[in-house]
Amino acid sequence: MRFVILGAGAVGGVVAGRLDGAGADVALVARGAHLEAIRRDGLLLREAGGDSVHRVPAYASPSAVDWRDDDVAVLAVKGGDTHAVLADVPRGRPVVCLQNGVANERAALRRFADVYPVCVMLPASHLAPGVVVAQCAPVPGILDIGRYPSGTDAVSADISASLVKAGFHSVVRADIMRWKYAKLLMNLGNAVEALCGRVDGLDEAAAPLRAEGETVLYAAGIPFVSLAEDRARRGDILQLRAVAGVERAGGSTWQSLARGTGNVEADYLNGEIVLLGRLHGVPTPANETARRLVVAAAQRGAAPGSLTPSDFLAEVARAAHP
């Protein structure tokens, strides 16, 4: 089994480096300066326990990969890139969705029979070409996996075993989407963190987003694990640790603004709740406001911290009571 990691950013890069370090067969797809740095110097994985360099095959696109029959395609791109990436993956491969959000699996199932969602709990960052940082140690992340829409099989068990060998916590779950919907609720606050920066008051500003999200999921009849179940799964496994010379970054949306990428994945996080709200007649002004504001911030090149939490809540109030 070879893991072809499609998207070597924070999560994809850390997983690739860890798998390679554990002896797995790994190839990467990256782009731009990041790809050039990996080809020239290798992928630098920075961790609290030390740095490691991983010289693995790196390609500019899925169509350039020398695909093999035993390859597993691992999607580690933002939701907005999923359709384009899948179009260049040969049919018949297992597809692993190492991504936030819940729309990627459905998109993959249109083209591929064997789709494997992963609930990603992996604090990581990618702010410089060729470099990814694992922010937790000694366990870098929790990566539970199952089949989509439900169930387990030998492939999911093999992938989980490879992740465990690479130092991650991973169990195989027949109800993996319950966990991914719970993670979606947590990720709704990513937009607020990006808009406001890592400041006091984020929990209060993000609370309306989660409340709307839970209401929408109940209305849609979509099950998700409780906060208590989620906390029990995490336990004390994920321990944030300082990495020498690296300031701890915010979440994935914060990092997109910090890198000035011009786009964020809010359409597939907050936008998922907005979509479900429209389908089931549930107002979602807080999530629509967060989606709209962070997308606009990305498009104009704003850095994290362009609003205060009170500014954001005022925007939500205006949207709820125009």
Side-chain angles (χ1 to χ4, degrees), residues 123-155:
S125 63
H126 162 52
L127 296 173
V131 183
V132 292
V133 180
Q135 297 178 350
C136 288
V139 178
I142 302 172
L143 301 173
D144 293 347
I145 187 171
R147 277 187 65 89
Y148 184 76
S150 63
T152 65
D153 61 11
V155 174

PDB file of all heavy atoms in Angstrom, residues 123-155:
ATOM      1  N   PRO A 123      -3.604  19.233  15.581  1.00  0.00           N
ATOM      2  CA  PRO A 123      -3.100  20.615  15.564  1.00  0.00           C
ATOM      3  C   PRO A 123      -1.757  20.677  14.841  1.00  0.00           C
ATOM      4  O   PRO A 123      -0.771  20.066  15.271  1.00  0.00           O
ATOM      5  CB  PRO A 123      -2.952  20.955  17.051  1.00  0.00           C
ATOM      6  CG  PRO A 123      -3.879  20.001  17.750  1.00  0.00           C
ATOM      7  CD  PRO A 123      -3.801  18.733  16.945  1.00  0.00           C
ATOM      8  N   ALA A 124      -1.728  21.367  13.725  1.00  0.00           N
ATOM      9  CA  ALA A 124      -0.517  21.440  12.909  1.00  0.00           C
ATOM     10  C   ALA A 124      -0.515  22.769  12.179  1.00  0.00           C
ATOM     11  O   ALA A 124      -1.546  23.447  12.080  1.00  0.00           O
ATOM     12  CB  ALA A 124      -0.467  20.279  11.914  1.00  0.00           C
ATOM     13  N   SER A 125       0.637  23.137  11.630  1.00  0.00           N
ATOM     14  CA  SER A 125       0.715  24.397  10.896  1.00  0.00           C
ATOM     15  C   SER A 125       1.641  24.260   9.704  1.00  0.00           C
ATOM     16  O   SER A 125       2.525  23.407   9.659  1.00  0.00           O
ATOM     17  CB  SER A 125       1.182  25.540  11.806  1.00  0.00           C
ATOM     18  OG  SER A 125       2.485  25.298  12.290  1.00  0.00           O
ATOM     19  N   HIS A 126       1.391  25.115   8.735  1.00  0.00           N
ATOM     20  CA  HIS A 126       2.233  25.213   7.534  1.00  0.00           C
ATOM     21  C   HIS A 126       2.224  26.676   7.116  1.00  0.00           C
ATOM     22  O   HIS A 126       1.254  27.157   6.548  1.00  0.00           O
ATOM     23  CB  HIS A 126       1.682  24.326   6.416  1.00  0.00           C
ATOM     24  CG  HIS A 126       2.206  24.680   5.054  1.00  0.00           C
ATOM     25  ND1 HIS A 126       3.548  24.797   4.786  1.00  0.00           N
ATOM     26  CD2 HIS A 126       1.565  24.969   3.886  1.00  0.00           C
ATOM     27  CE1 HIS A 126       3.708  25.130   3.508  1.00  0.00           C
ATOM     28  NE2 HIS A 126       2.524  25.248   2.947  1.00  0.00           N
ATOM     29  N   LEU A 127       3.320  27.370   7.448  1.00  0.00           N
ATOM     30  CA  LEU A 127       3.398  28.799   7.169  1.00  0.00           C
ATOM     31  C   LEU A 127       4.596  29.168   6.301  1.00  0.00           C
ATOM     32  O   LEU A 127       4.736  30.316   5.899  1.00  0.00           O
ATOM     33  CB  LEU A 127       3.448  29.603   8.479  1.00  0.00           C
ATOM     34  CG  LEU A 127       2.198  29.499   9.365  1.00  0.00           C
ATOM     35  CD1 LEU A 127       2.430  30.200  10.700  1.00  0.00           C
ATOM     36  CD2 LEU A 127       0.977  30.085   8.670  1.00  0.00           C
ATOM     37  N   ALA A 128       5.463  28.181   6.009  1.00  0.00           N
ATOM     38  CA  ALA A 128       6.642  28.447   5.186  1.00  0.00           C
ATOM     39  C   ALA A 128       6.823  27.306   4.198  1.00  0.00           C
ATOM     40  O   ALA A 128       6.536  26.148   4.512  1.00  0.00           O
ATOM     41  CB  ALA A 128       7.886  28.581   6.063  1.00  0.00           C
ATOM     42  N   PRO A 129       7.297  27.586   2.980  1.00  0.00           N
ATOM     43  CA  PRO A 129       7.492  26.534   1.979  1.00  0.00           C
ATOM     44  C   PRO A 129       8.416  25.424   2.474  1.00  0.00           C
ATOM     45  O   PRO A 129       9.466  25.687   3.059  1.00  0.00           O
ATOM     46  CB  PRO A 129       8.128  27.283   0.800  1.00  0.00           C
ATOM     47  CG  PRO A 129       7.691  28.699   0.959  1.00  0.00           C
ATOM     48  CD  PRO A 129       7.636  28.925   2.438  1.00  0.00           C
ATOM     49  N   GLY A 130       7.967  24.192   2.255  1.00  0.00           N
ATOM     50  CA  GLY A 130       8.787  23.047   2.603  1.00  0.00           C
ATOM     51  C   GLY A 130       8.750  22.634   4.051  1.00  0.00           C
ATOM     52  O   GLY A 130       9.400  21.650   4.430  1.00  0.00           O
ATOM     53  N   VAL A 131       7.990  23.368   4.887  1.00  0.00           N
ATOM     54  CA  VAL A 131       8.010  23.134   6.330  1.00  0.00           C
ATOM     55  C   VAL A 131       6.597  22.918   6.862  1.00  0.00           C
ATOM     56  O   VAL A 131       5.683  23.694   6.549  1.00  0.00           O
ATOM     57  CB  VAL A 131       8.650  24.325   7.079  1.00  0.00           C
ATOM     58  CG1 VAL A 131       8.736  24.034   8.574  1.00  0.00           C
ATOM     59  CG2 VAL A 131      10.021  24.658   6.504  1.00  0.00           C
ATOM     60  N   VAL A 132       6.423  21.877   7.666  1.00  0.00           N
ATOM     61  CA  VAL A 132       5.174  21.668   8.405  1.00  0.00           C
ATOM     62  C   VAL A 132       5.534  21.437   9.867  1.00  0.00           C
ATOM     63  O   VAL A 132       6.626  20.940  10.175  1.00  0.00           O
ATOM     64  CB  VAL A 132       4.352  20.486   7.850  1.00  0.00           C
ATOM     65  CG1 VAL A 132       3.821  20.804   6.462  1.00  0.00           C
ATOM     66  CG2 VAL A 132       5.148  19.188   7.842  1.00  0.00           C
ATOM     67  N   VAL A 133       4.609  21.794  10.747  1.00  0.00           N
ATOM     68  CA  VAL A 133       4.881  21.727  12.185  1.00  0.00           C
ATOM     69  C   VAL A 133       3.773  20.950  12.875  1.00  0.00           C
ATOM     70  O   VAL A 133       2.585  21.264  12.707  1.00  0.00           O
ATOM     71  CB  VAL A 133       4.978  23.140  12.802  1.00  0.00           C
ATOM     72  CG1 VAL A 133       5.267  23.057  14.296  1.00  0.00           C
ATOM     73  CG2 VAL A 133       6.032  23.972  12.086  1.00  0.00           C
ATOM     74  N   ALA A 134       4.152  19.934  13.643  1.00  0.00           N
ATOM     75  CA  ALA A 134       3.205  19.219  14.500  1.00  0.00           C
ATOM     76  C   ALA A 134       3.215  19.897  15.861  1.00  0.00           C
ATOM     77  O   ALA A 134       4.275  20.003  16.497  1.00  0.00           O
ATOM     78  CB  ALA A 134       3.599  17.752  14.627  1.00  0.00           C
ATOM     79  N   GLN A 135       2.065  20.353  16.311  1.00  0.00           N
ATOM     80  CA  GLN A 135       2.011  21.172  17.514  1.00  0.00           C
ATOM     81  C   GLN A 135       1.765  20.371  18.785  1.00  0.00           C
ATOM     82  O   GLN A 135       1.807  20.931  19.882  1.00  0.00           O
ATOM     83  CB  GLN A 135       0.929  22.246  17.346  1.00  0.00           C
ATOM     84  CG  GLN A 135       1.216  23.206  16.207  1.00  0.00           C
ATOM     85  CD  GLN A 135       0.130  24.246  15.991  1.00  0.00           C
ATOM     86  OE1 GLN A 135      -0.948  24.172  16.558  1.00  0.00           O
ATOM     87  NE2 GLN A 135       0.409  25.226  15.155  1.00  0.00           N
ATOM     88  N   CYS A 136       1.492  19.062  18.654  1.00  0.00           N
ATOM     89  CA  CYS A 136       1.269  18.215  19.822  1.00  0.00           C
ATOM     90  C   CYS A 136       2.325  17.116  19.883  1.00  0.00           C
ATOM     91  O   CYS A 136       2.783  16.613  18.855  1.00  0.00           O
ATOM     92  CB  CYS A 136      -0.123  17.582  19.781  1.00  0.00           C
ATOM     93  SG  CYS A 136      -1.461  18.743  20.113  1.00  0.00           S
ATOM     94  N   ALA A 137       2.679  16.725  21.091  1.00  0.00           N
ATOM     95  CA  ALA A 137       3.644  15.648  21.294  1.00  0.00           C
ATOM     96  C   ALA A 137       3.391  15.031  22.683  1.00  0.00           C
ATOM     97  O   ALA A 137       2.903  15.708  23.578  1.00  0.00           O
ATOM     98  CB  ALA A 137       5.069  16.184  21.209  1.00  0.00           C
ATOM     99  N   PRO A 138       3.709  13.742  22.868  1.00  0.00           N
ATOM    100  CA  PRO A 138       4.336  12.841  21.906  1.00  0.00           C
ATOM    101  C   PRO A 138       3.391  12.305  20.829  1.00  0.00           C
ATOM    102  O   PRO A 138       3.842  11.802  19.819  1.00  0.00           O
ATOM    103  CB  PRO A 138       4.857  11.709  22.773  1.00  0.00           C
ATOM    104  CG  PRO A 138       3.899  11.663  23.927  1.00  0.00           C
ATOM    105  CD  PRO A 138       3.536  13.095  24.194  1.00  0.00           C
ATOM    106  N   VAL A 139       2.084  12.411  21.050  1.00  0.00           N
ATOM    107  CA  VAL A 139       1.116  11.976  20.034  1.00  0.00           C
ATOM    108  C   VAL A 139       0.727  13.184  19.195  1.00  0.00           C
ATOM    109  O   VAL A 139       0.183  14.158  19.724  1.00  0.00           O
ATOM    110  CB  VAL A 139      -0.141  11.359  20.682  1.00  0.00           C
ATOM    111  CG1 VAL A 139      -1.157  10.962  19.615  1.00  0.00           C
ATOM    112  CG2 VAL A 139       0.234  10.149  21.529  1.00  0.00           C
ATOM    113  N   PRO A 140       1.000  13.169  17.891  1.00  0.00           N
ATOM    114  CA  PRO A 140       0.699  14.357  17.083  1.00  0.00           C
ATOM    115  C   PRO A 140      -0.774  14.563  16.786  1.00  0.00           C
ATOM    116  O   PRO A 140      -1.204  15.686  16.508  1.00  0.00           O
ATOM    117  CB  PRO A 140       1.476  14.108  15.792  1.00  0.00           C
ATOM    118  CG  PRO A 140       1.588  12.626  15.704  1.00  0.00           C
ATOM    119  CD  PRO A 140       1.686  12.134  17.113  1.00  0.00           C
ATOM    120  N   GLY A 141      -1.581  13.483  16.818  1.00  0.00           N
ATOM    121  CA  GLY A 141      -2.982  13.659  16.476  1.00  0.00           C
ATOM    122  C   GLY A 141      -3.796  12.402  16.643  1.00  0.00           C
ATOM    123  O   GLY A 141      -3.263  11.295  16.841  1.00  0.00           O
ATOM    124  N   ILE A 142      -5.107  12.579  16.570  1.00  0.00           N
ATOM    125  CA  ILE A 142      -6.079  11.478  16.613  1.00  0.00           C
ATOM    126  C   ILE A 142      -6.746  11.423  15.244  1.00  0.00           C
ATOM    127  O   ILE A 142      -7.318  12.414  14.790  1.00  0.00           O
ATOM    128  CB  ILE A 142      -7.134  11.697  17.710  1.00  0.00           C
ATOM    129  CG1 ILE A 142      -6.468  11.840  19.085  1.00  0.00           C
ATOM    130  CG2 ILE A 142      -8.141  10.545  17.720  1.00  0.00           C
ATOM    131  CD1 ILE A 142      -7.436  12.259  20.183  1.00  0.00           C
ATOM    132  N   LEU A 143      -6.664  10.265  14.589  1.00  0.00           N
ATOM    133  CA  LEU A 143      -7.173  10.115  13.228  1.00  0.00           C
ATOM    134  C   LEU A 143      -8.028   8.860  13.139  1.00  0.00           C
ATOM    135  O   LEU A 143      -7.593   7.813  12.643  1.00  0.00           O
ATOM    136  CB  LEU A 143      -6.010  10.043  12.229  1.00  0.00           C
ATOM    137  CG  LEU A 143      -5.058  11.246  12.200  1.00  0.00           C
ATOM    138  CD1 LEU A 143      -3.866  10.966  11.296  1.00  0.00           C
ATOM    139  CD2 LEU A 143      -5.792  12.506  11.759  1.00  0.00           C
ATOM    140  N   ASP A 144      -9.260   8.936  13.626  1.00  0.00           N
ATOM    141  CA  ASP A 144     -10.176   7.802  13.538  1.00  0.00           C
ATOM    142  C   ASP A 144     -10.740   7.704  12.119  1.00  0.00           C
ATOM    143  O   ASP A 144     -10.918   8.721  11.440  1.00  0.00           O
ATOM    144  CB  ASP A 144     -11.303   7.951  14.556  1.00  0.00           C
ATOM    145  CG  ASP A 144     -10.800   7.834  15.992  1.00  0.00           C
ATOM    146  OD1 ASP A 144      -9.654   7.392  16.196  1.00  0.00           O
ATOM    147  OD2 ASP A 144     -11.561   8.185  16.913  1.00  0.00           O
ATOM    148  N   ILE A 145     -11.056   6.482  11.688  1.00  0.00           N
ATOM    149  CA  ILE A 145     -11.419   6.254  10.293  1.00  0.00           C
ATOM    150  C   ILE A 145     -12.543   5.227  10.186  1.00  0.00           C
ATOM    151  O   ILE A 145     -12.737   4.401  11.078  1.00  0.00           O
ATOM    152  CB  ILE A 145     -10.177   5.765   9.495  1.00  0.00           C
ATOM    153  CG1 ILE A 145     -10.466   5.676   7.995  1.00  0.00           C
ATOM    154  CG2 ILE A 145      -9.648   4.435  10.037  1.00  0.00           C
ATOM    155  CD1 ILE A 145      -9.223   5.413   7.150  1.00  0.00           C
ATOM    156  N   GLY A 146     -13.296   5.281   9.109  1.00  0.00           N
ATOM    157  CA  GLY A 146     -14.332   4.289   8.800  1.00  0.00           C
ATOM    158  C   GLY A 146     -14.668   4.376   7.326  1.00  0.00           C
ATOM    159  O   GLY A 146     -14.017   5.090   6.566  1.00  0.00           O
ATOM    160  N   ARG A 147     -15.675   3.627   6.912  1.00  0.00           N
ATOM    161  CA  ARG A 147     -16.158   3.708   5.532  1.00  0.00           C
ATOM    162  C   ARG A 147     -17.267   4.749   5.435  1.00  0.00           C
ATOM    163  O   ARG A 147     -17.919   5.070   6.426  1.00  0.00           O
ATOM    164  CB  ARG A 147     -16.714   2.350   5.069  1.00  0.00           C
ATOM    165  CG  ARG A 147     -15.665   1.378   4.583  1.00  0.00           C
ATOM    166  CD  ARG A 147     -16.313   0.136   3.997  1.00  0.00           C
ATOM    167  NE  ARG A 147     -17.088   0.431   2.792  1.00  0.00           N
ATOM    168  CZ  ARG A 147     -16.596   0.424   1.561  1.00  0.00           C
ATOM    169  NH1 ARG A 147     -15.326   0.142   1.368  1.00  0.00           N
ATOM    170  NH2 ARG A 147     -17.358   0.706   0.521  1.00  0.00           N
ATOM    171  N   TYR A 148     -17.478   5.243   4.225  1.00  0.00           N
ATOM    172  CA  TYR A 148     -18.581   6.159   3.970  1.00  0.00           C
ATOM    173  C   TYR A 148     -19.637   5.444   3.141  1.00  0.00           C
ATOM    174  O   TYR A 148     -19.294   4.762   2.160  1.00  0.00           O
ATOM    175  CB  TYR A 148     -18.094   7.393   3.207  1.00  0.00           C
ATOM    176  CG  TYR A 148     -19.164   8.434   2.986  1.00  0.00           C
ATOM    177  CD1 TYR A 148     -19.568   9.259   4.027  1.00  0.00           C
ATOM    178  CD2 TYR A 148     -19.786   8.574   1.752  1.00  0.00           C
ATOM    179  CE1 TYR A 148     -20.558  10.210   3.830  1.00  0.00           C
ATOM    180  CE2 TYR A 148     -20.773   9.523   1.548  1.00  0.00           C
ATOM    181  CZ  TYR A 148     -21.152  10.336   2.586  1.00  0.00           C
ATOM    182  OH  TYR A 148     -22.144  11.281   2.403  1.00  0.00           O
ATOM    183  N   PRO A 149     -20.926   5.555   3.522  1.00  0.00           N
ATOM    184  CA  PRO A 149     -21.469   6.390   4.592  1.00  0.00           C
ATOM    185  C   PRO A 149     -21.366   5.774   5.984  1.00  0.00           C
ATOM    186  O   PRO A 149     -21.528   6.482   6.975  1.00  0.00           O
ATOM    187  CB  PRO A 149     -22.936   6.546   4.177  1.00  0.00           C
ATOM    188  CG  PRO A 149     -23.250   5.296   3.437  1.00  0.00           C
ATOM    189  CD  PRO A 149     -21.997   4.943   2.690  1.00  0.00           C
ATOM    190  N   SER A 150     -21.121   4.457   6.067  1.00  0.00           N
ATOM    191  CA  SER A 150     -20.958   3.816   7.371  1.00  0.00           C
ATOM    192  C   SER A 150     -20.279   2.475   7.159  1.00  0.00           C
ATOM    193  O   SER A 150     -20.169   1.972   6.042  1.00  0.00           O
ATOM    194  CB  SER A 150     -22.315   3.630   8.069  1.00  0.00           C
ATOM    195  OG  SER A 150     -23.151   2.766   7.312  1.00  0.00           O
ATOM    196  N   GLY A 151     -19.838   1.891   8.259  1.00  0.00           N
ATOM    197  CA  GLY A 151     -19.241   0.567   8.190  1.00  0.00           C
ATOM    198  C   GLY A 151     -17.727   0.597   8.278  1.00  0.00           C
ATOM    199  O   GLY A 151     -17.095   1.649   8.350  1.00  0.00           O
ATOM    200  N   THR A 152     -17.142  -0.593   8.280  1.00  0.00           N
ATOM    201  CA  THR A 152     -15.689  -0.763   8.311  1.00  0.00           C
ATOM    202  C   THR A 152     -15.328  -1.908   7.379  1.00  0.00           C
ATOM    203  O   THR A 152     -16.189  -2.672   6.954  1.00  0.00           O
ATOM    204  CB  THR A 152     -15.191  -1.098   9.727  1.00  0.00           C
ATOM    205  OG1 THR A 152     -15.707  -2.373  10.123  1.00  0.00           O
ATOM    206  CG2 THR A 152     -15.631  -0.043  10.738  1.00  0.00           C
ATOM    207  N   ASP A 153     -14.043  -2.034   7.067  1.00  0.00           N
ATOM    208  CA  ASP A 153     -13.577  -3.154   6.256  1.00  0.00           C
ATOM    209  C   ASP A 153     -12.085  -3.330   6.477  1.00  0.00           C
ATOM    210  O   ASP A 153     -11.465  -2.636   7.302  1.00  0.00           O
ATOM    211  CB  ASP A 153     -13.909  -2.957   4.775  1.00  0.00           C
ATOM    212  CG  ASP A 153     -13.268  -1.728   4.164  1.00  0.00           C
ATOM    213  OD1 ASP A 153     -12.388  -1.117   4.818  1.00  0.00           O
ATOM    214  OD2 ASP A 153     -13.625  -1.367   3.024  1.00  0.00           O
ATOM    215  N   ALA A 154     -11.488  -4.260   5.730  1.00  0.00           N
ATOM    216  CA  ALA A 154     -10.067  -4.556   5.907  1.00  0.00           C
ATOM    217  C   ALA A 154      -9.191  -3.368   5.525  1.00  0.00           C
ATOM    218  O   ALA A 154      -8.135  -3.135   6.141  1.00  0.00           O
ATOM    219  CB  ALA A 154      -9.685  -5.785   5.080  1.00  0.00           C
ATOM    220  N   VAL A 155      -9.612  -2.602   4.516  1.00  0.00           N
ATOM    221  CA  VAL A 155      -8.806  -1.447   4.092  1.00  0.00           C
ATOM    222  C   VAL A 155      -8.761  -0.390   5.192  1.00  0.00           C
ATOM    223  O   VAL A 155      -7.691   0.156   5.510  1.00  0.00           O
ATOM    224  CB  VAL A 155      -9.357  -0.851   2.781  1.00  0.00           C
ATOM    225  CG1 VAL A 155      -8.620   0.434   2.425  1.00  0.00           C
ATOM    226  CG2 VAL A 155      -9.229  -1.862   1.641  1.00  0.00           C
TER     227      VAL A 155
END
